[in-house]
Amino acid sequence: MSSSIITIKNKLDSHLGESLTIVAQAGRKKITKRRGVLKETFPAVFVVELDQDQNNFEHVSYSYTDLLTKNIALEFDNEAEA
């Protein structure tokens, strides 16, 4: 694995249990935003528990390469306030 993927995983490990917004590329000129809580990190993926008020499903998982290739962006609530 790339050291940058390991760095991304370590950063996410420090944010476990925190609220966040996921901004994902959903195709040509389409962007989806989802709110949730970072629940778990695994060696290749991380899991976000979504707000049930806004979404039809409970969990979503993304790989660290999605962050590395900028297919998704994460905005943590505590970083937005700072």
Side-chain angles (χ1 to χ4, degrees), residues 49-82:
E49 184 177 296
L50 298 175
D51 289 342
Q52 291 303 297
D53 299 338
Q54 301 172 358
N55 299 288
N56 294 334
F57 38 92
E58 295 179 17
H59 299 92
V60 67
S61 63
Y62 294 99
S63 70
Y64 302 115
T65 56
D66 290 331
L67 284 170
L68 188 63
T69 58
K70 298 186 178 166
N71 288 334
I72 65 168
L74 301 180
E75 300 169 357
F76 288 95
D77 292 349
N78 63 354
E79 290 179 357
E81 294 170 1

Side-chain angles (χ1 to χ4, degrees), residues 20-24 31-36 46 48 50 60 62 72-75:
L20 57 87
T21 301
I22 304 165
V23 180
I31 296 175
T32 60
K33 286 190 177 187
R34 295 186 175 131
R35 299 238 346 110
F46 60 95
V48 176
L50 298 175
V60 67
Y62 294 99
I72 65 168
L74 301 180
E75 300 169 357

